[in-house]
Amino acid sequence: WIVIQQRIDDSQSFNQNWTEYKSGFGNYNKNFWLGLEKMHQLTTSADYRLRFEVLIRGSWYSDEYDHFYIRSELMKYSLNATGYSGDKCDILNSPIDIYIHNGMKFSTPDRDNDLSSGNCAAYYLSGNWFNNCAHQLVNTPYNSTSFLYKSSRITLCRMMMKRNF
């Protein structure tokens, strides 16, 4: 697995601009964002799967997608994932349309690409594939409440990708 996002404590802010999310930031063995351009390059070179892992109240949960890719910067690094399986819920495809992340463009506080009337990235102090400001919030300030897991505080989280063979 290639770690593309990881949060283990509050020593790294994920309230970063477009350039930082594009190129990546943080420390690989601590708090980390690989970079949208690297994700795009990897996922367009081969077929990849995506995995989310979160630790909530001492229990680990995971969600996976069999096929995953990130479009180019011209397409605002939109996220595409299909083939869900997991423990908790299909976090990218909420049953409520306004919370769907799949197919969304990436937004940062300085580049508003979401579908809401405001700027979700500025509101949540983080970059993400926002639709209308909620559901999958793994980049919000550390230990903040997550709508994804029934208003629970996520202690640790990571996103990973792996090449399909």
Side-chain angles (χ1 to χ4, degrees):
W1 289 98
I2 299 168
V3 177
I4 60 176
Q5 183 269 10
Q6 181 167 269
R7 301 290 299 279
I8 63 168
D9 61 28
D10 64 354
S11 64
Q12 169 71 54
S13 172
F14 278 61
N15 186 13
Q16 303 288 329
N17 64 28
W18 183 266
T19 302
E20 293 297 317
Y21 271 99
K22 177 182 174 179
S23 60
F25 56 86
N27 186 330
Y28 185 76
N29 62 355
K30 212 163 183 190
N31 299 291
F32 175 74
W33 179 261
L34 178 67
L36 292 163
E37 186 59 30
K38 292 176 193 112
M39 290 180 215
H40 164 68
Q41 293 296 325
L42 286 166
T43 60
T44 55
S45 68
D47 185 27
Y48 278 84
R49 61 188 309 111
L50 175 66
R51 180 177 177 90
F52 288 85
E53 294 181 344
V54 295
L55 178 64
I56 301 171
R57 295 188 205 131
S59 296
W60 281 99
Y61 300 95
S62 65
D63 295 294
E64 284 191 29
Y65 295 85
D66 291 336
H67 305 283
F68 156 71
Y69 65 94
I70 301 291
R71 293 189 185 266
S72 71
E73 185 172 19
L74 289 173
M75 301 294 291
K76 311 290 190 222
Y77 295 115
S78 62
L79 169 75
N80 295 273
T82 59
Y84 170 77
S85 63
D87 298 327
K88 210 59 169 153
C89 64
D90 183 351
I91 61 175
L92 298 179
N93 297 298
S94 169
I96 303 168
D97 289 345
I98 62 171
Y99 297 145
I100 292 174
H101 293 270
N102 204 0
M104 293 299 112
K105 298 172 183 173
F106 200 84
S107 288
T108 57
D110 64 325
R111 296 256 182 114
D112 183 11
N113 296 314
D114 64 56
L115 300 180
S116 76
S117 60
N119 182 339
C120 300
Y123 180 79
Y124 282 113
L125 305 174
S126 65
N128 210 324
W129 295 276
F130 291 110
N131 178 334
N132 195 28
C133 292
H135 208 50
Q136 183 272 102
L137 302 171
V138 295
N139 291 336
T140 57
Y142 180 75
N143 213 17
S144 59
T145 301
S146 168
F147 288 94
L148 164 60
Y149 292 102
K150 300 178 183 170
S151 299
S152 299
R153 296 191 189 281
I154 296 175
T155 308
L156 301 170
C157 65
R158 70 177 67 98
M159 293 171 61
M160 302 178 293
M161 57 190 255
K162 178 180 180 179
R163 188 173 179 174
N164 287 324
F165 291 99

